[in-house]
Amino acid sequence: MNFGVVAWLLGQICWLLAGAMIFSLPWSLPIFGVVESFDPRGFWGIGGAAAATAAVGSLFALVGYKHRKDPLFRKEALAVVGLAWILATVLGALPFLFSRTCGRRDAEGRPVPLSLVDAIFESASGFTDTGASILTDVEDPQLVPRSVLFWRSESHFIGGLGIIVLFVAILGVGSASRALMQSEIPALAQTRPYALSQHTAWVFGGIYLGLTFILVILLVVAGLGPFEALCHAFGTVATGGFSTRNASIAAFGNWAVELFITLFMILGSTNFVLLYWLVYSQPKRLLVDPEFRTYLFVIALAILVVGGMGFALGDFPDPVTALRKSAFQVVAIISTTGFTIDDFDQWNTLSRAILLTLMFVGGCSCSTSGSLKVIRHLLLSKILRLELERTFRPNVVRHIRVGARVIQEPEIRVQILVYFSLIAIIFLAAWLALVAVEPDRQWASATGLAALPKSVESSSEPPGTVHADPVALLRAKLVDCASAVATCLNGVGPGLGFVGPARNFADLQPMSKLVLVAVMLLGRLEVYPILVLFSLRFWRRI
């Protein structure tokens, strides 16, 4: 392991983050119309965080300066990718801490500043494009300075295409570009017929910036101000989900805003290579792509079932509302954006189950979407079908086909099965951790009922106290913890029940939040760049 070249590249990434923080400073000035007077908390908080981040970058660069021209191999590239995301998560928390951003008010109405764990959670949720939050009132500038609110959405923009992809696009790093891109973009996506290089990063970055710019213009035309248009464009194209409103997109009550965001959530979760060919007047490549067609089919089917069942069971007053709300929410969940226009936790059980299932589907490969991706589900179905056929035709030899293309790489089968297994193990481990850490009284208070005392005789509760059914509380806790892990692992944002659209993650225990931070990073980087950091063999100088 060449620690010097790793340190040098991490230093440059820190400088890139410091520069990105500077773009949040103008929103502390009244000239931009977001604040009535100069906001010193936001300005100096962001400025101090940028200075501290630049200082950390300088320290890394100083350590690795002598190795800045050393070649970058696969192992060093993996280290840079994994450590860069962890470092960005920690440094991205500094604006929240330095500005004394507050997550809530206490019983007496006094603002309560974020703890270190809360700030790291919010930062990780931003960079990984998860959109899960611990801020209870983002509309109150006394709790959240406007410049910090902008930084919160800007972290979506940085993490949307990938910190390393943006780094390669902006700074290059010569021959190391290919190694870094290969480590940032999952191996499955690299089976597509295009080269990974700085040119690829420029193409992806150009499409990403173009989509964001177009959406900003459309949202301004639809009635949003520049500040909110930028923040929601960042959250939409990056499929992140942070909003400037407590009620998310529902706060606007604007059908045009909902329509534009729905369209761009689909575009943001579409393979950028296909969008590249679309720009160059070759839409046929998009329309014949099996992954994209499957993606649209799943969206259409989910909208039909969720909207139809919702209208039949009284979740929606009329068919138009059923179509509008089900379409937006299905696209928001499957694209892993996580915006909401309704409290879907109050919908019928089947609709909630479908939305929970869609969290594990995700968008297309080589997009800003999280989760497992449609292409993996396609390949898994074909692998299982072949294995089933081999039970009664053991000598049959068939290749896996995706559209007209034959997947000849024999390791793809193993990669798909191993990846699904790893996701299942991570999900199960994190779910059990949350169930163990979170106290039962959280769910008793959430329902407005008291938990059953250990002994009726020793109970000092007043007469007439209504107790919750312990079985119902246990069931709610198991489902809510599972949805919390699912939404963070797949980068969605809102879950069900205790972490549903009408609530957030503020009341979870600090240890649970740290578990979810790890889950968000594992899900965003598709497991391997984070897991290898915990292997002793990975760090050996061989």
Side-chain angles (χ1 to χ4, degrees):
M1 174 67 71
N2 188 337
F3 295 100
V5 70
V6 172
W8 171 252
L9 291 173
L10 289 177
Q12 293 184 73
I13 292 171
C14 289
W15 290 338
L16 182 65
L17 289 175
M21 291 180 185
I22 301 299
F23 287 100
S24 301
L25 290 178
W27 304 108
S28 296
L29 306 175
I31 189 174
F32 289 92
V34 178
V35 294
E36 296 181 356
S37 59
F38 174 68
D39 178 15
R41 279 177 59 208
F43 187 87
W44 297 116
I46 294 287
T53 302
V56 172
S58 299
L59 180 61
F60 275 114
L62 182 63
V63 171
Y65 183 77
K66 293 181 179 180
H67 301 271
R68 66 190 185 279
K69 295 184 179 180
D70 289 358
L72 189 72
F73 298 106
R74 175 68 170 171
K75 191 158 60 171
E76 285 78 12
L78 276 170
V80 171
V81 171
L83 293 175
W85 280 83
I86 295 174
L87 190 61
T89 296
V90 175
L91 295 177
L94 296 182
F96 298 102
L97 296 172
F98 286 9
S99 65
R100 293 186 62 79
T101 296
C102 300
R104 59 184 176 86
R105 294 183 182 272
D106 60 19
E108 299 179 358
R110 294 173 299 189
V112 179
L114 296 181
S115 65
L116 175 61
V117 172
D118 286 342
I120 289 177
F121 182 93
E122 200 75 14
S123 175
S125 184
F127 281 115
T128 60
D129 295 320
T130 302
S133 181
I134 47 80
L135 301 179
T136 58
D137 188 0
V138 296
E139 296 180 27
D140 187 350
Q142 292 184 351
L143 298 181
V144 186
R146 301 301 89 178
S147 55
V148 175
L149 192 63
F150 185 84
W151 165 248
R152 179 173 174 259
S153 294
E154 190 184 357
S155 64
H156 275 341
F157 179 79
I158 298 171
L161 193 58
I163 293 173
I164 301 301
V165 175
L166 289 177
F167 170 65
V168 170
I170 295 173
L171 299 180
V173 302
S175 60
S177 298
R178 182 176 177 82
L180 288 170
M181 292 279 286
Q182 285 179 331
S183 300
E184 173 87 340
I185 298 177
L188 178 67
Q190 296 172 31
T191 62
R192 297 288 182 129
Y194 52 81
L196 296 177
S197 62
Q198 186 179 12
H199 174 70
T200 307
W202 273 110
V203 170
F204 285 6
I207 295 172
Y208 188 59
L209 285 172
L211 291 175
T212 303
F213 177 76
I214 294 171
L215 182 56
V216 169
I217 299 300
L218 291 175
L219 292 178
V220 169
V221 172
L224 270 60
F227 177 79
E228 291 193 310
L230 276 168
C231 289
H232 286 92
F234 289 161
T236 300
V237 179
T239 61
F242 276 153
S243 177
T244 58
R245 301 296 184 96
N246 296 326
S248 191
I249 307 303
F252 300 113
N254 188 321
W255 68 266
V257 170
E258 295 172 12
L259 179 62
F260 292 145
I261 287 179
T262 300
L263 174 61
F264 278 79
M265 284 191 293
I266 294 176
L267 291 176
S269 54
T270 299
N271 191 311
F272 275 31
V273 177
L274 299 178
L275 296 181
Y276 171 80
W277 291 116
L278 182 64
V279 170
Y280 279 86
S281 302
Q282 297 190 39
K284 183 179 179 181
R285 292 186 180 235
L286 177 67
L287 298 176
V288 301
D289 184 77
E291 182 185 26
F292 182 69
R293 288 189 300 174
T294 303
Y295 183 45
L296 292 184
F297 173 76
V298 173
I299 290 175
L301 181 62
I303 291 172
L304 180 64
V305 176
V306 172
M309 288 295 296
F311 177 66
L313 297 177
D315 293 334
F316 310 118
D318 54 74
V320 175
T321 302
L323 176 62
R324 179 173 66 88
K325 291 189 175 182
S326 63
F328 184 94
Q329 216 55 70
V330 164
V331 172
I333 296 298
I334 195 172
S335 68
T336 71
T337 308
F339 283 138
T340 59
I341 60 170
D342 198 12
D343 184 3
F344 58 80
D345 195 40
Q346 302 302 315
W347 293 359
N348 63 84
T349 304
L350 177 60
S351 294
R352 285 182 291 161
I354 290 174
L355 293 180
L356 185 62
T357 302
L358 292 178
M359 292 182 185
F360 287 93
V361 177
C364 301
S365 59
C366 267
S367 69
T368 64
S369 177
S371 193
L372 291 163
K373 306 292 193 304
V374 173
I375 187 64
R376 282 198 178 92
H377 290 280
L378 272 177
L379 290 172
L380 179 65
S381 66
K382 293 177 181 295
I383 291 171
L384 294 178
R385 187 175 64 184
L386 287 178
E387 293 301 321
L388 178 62
E389 184 179 6
R390 284 181 178 176
T391 61
F392 57 88
R393 291 179 180 173
N395 297 323
V396 69
V397 177
R398 297 188 191 279
H399 293 294
I400 299 175
R401 290 180 177 273
V402 179
R405 186 163 178 261
V406 177
I407 305 295
Q408 296 182 345
E409 296 85 348
E411 66 273 11
I412 286 293
R413 295 189 184 190
V414 176
Q415 289 178 1
I416 293 295
L417 296 175
V418 168
Y419 187 76
F420 272 89
S421 300
L422 284 173
I423 291 296
I425 292 171
I426 293 169
F427 173 80
L428 182 61
W431 176 53
L432 292 176
L434 260 65
V435 170
V437 169
E438 291 299 318
D440 293 345
R441 64 176 181 274
Q442 292 274 41
W443 276 261
S445 61
T447 58
L449 303 176
L452 285 172
K454 294 181 180 179
S455 172
V456 176
E457 292 79 6
S458 62
S459 175
S460 59
E461 295 176 352
T465 300
V466 180
H467 292 105
D469 179 4
V471 176
L473 288 181
L474 176 60
R475 186 184 300 116
K477 179 179 179 180
L478 293 176
V479 172
D480 294 356
C481 288
S483 75
V485 175
T487 194
C488 289
L489 180 60
N490 298 306
V492 178
L496 299 176
F498 198 70
V499 292
R503 307 192 63 174
N504 61 18
F505 292 72
D507 293 329
L508 294 181
Q509 300 298 307
M511 182 56 67
S512 296
K513 294 173 184 175
L514 290 177
V515 169
L516 294 178
V517 166
V519 164
M520 284 187 272
L521 289 170
L522 285 166
R524 178 58 184 169
L525 290 180
E526 305 205 343
V527 181
Y528 293 106
I530 296 295
L531 283 188
V532 296
L533 300 180
F534 297 93
S535 172
L536 294 178
R537 293 182 179 180
F538 178 74
W539 299 103
R540 291 177 182 172
R541 290 181 176 271
I542 54 175

